[in-house]
Amino acid sequence: LNPATSYDFRLVVTGGTNAGTSNVVSNITTDNAPSLPLTDFANTAKTSTSASFSWTAASGATGIVIEQSPAGANTWTTAQTSGTIAANATSATVTGLNPATSYDFRLVVTGGT
């Protein structure tokens, strides 16, 4: 898709009991600036009960949280942090972790590019 362009969409199902063409959803416009994933979310320090992270600020973000899951479980919950993470933040520390436990973490940015 091209930035700042309006598109119409329709679903076409071939085969099965729901075969057919859907209604048209019109005037869906792409943003002027394409969204880019943050690729530098990184662990910068850890203790037995905390982990610190850094990343590049997301332009225009309206909210940021870090989510955690037991390693490999893919059951994400909002992590407890040392304070509220500002929308323009570039680092945070997750607290309240269990010692000798492996976790996966991910950064969730709302809004922004």
Side-chain angles (χ1 to χ4, degrees):
L1 300 177
N2 294 314
T5 304
S6 181
Y7 292 92
D8 295 337
F9 292 91
R10 173 188 315 215
L11 180 65
V12 177
V13 179
T14 57
T17 58
N18 294 315
T21 303
S22 74
N23 58 309
V24 174
V25 178
S26 299
N27 297 319
I28 305 300
T29 304
T30 57
D31 290 335
N32 288 329
S35 293
L36 300 172
L38 295 177
T39 58
D40 62 348
F41 178 59
N43 177 239
T44 57
K46 61 184 174 182
T47 69
S48 62
T49 59
S50 70
S52 296
F53 298 92
S54 69
W55 59 89
T56 301
S59 175
T62 57
I64 296 176
V65 297
I66 296 176
E67 292 185 339
Q68 70 185 54
S69 173
N74 207 27
T75 54
W76 299 99
T77 59
T78 300
Q80 175 184 328
T81 56
S82 57
T84 302
I85 304 172
N88 63 347
T90 59
S91 65
T93 299
V94 173
T95 59
L97 301 174
N98 293 321
T101 303
S102 295
Y103 294 92
D104 293 328
F105 296 93
R106 67 183 181 187
L107 187 68
V108 179
V109 178
T110 305
T113 56

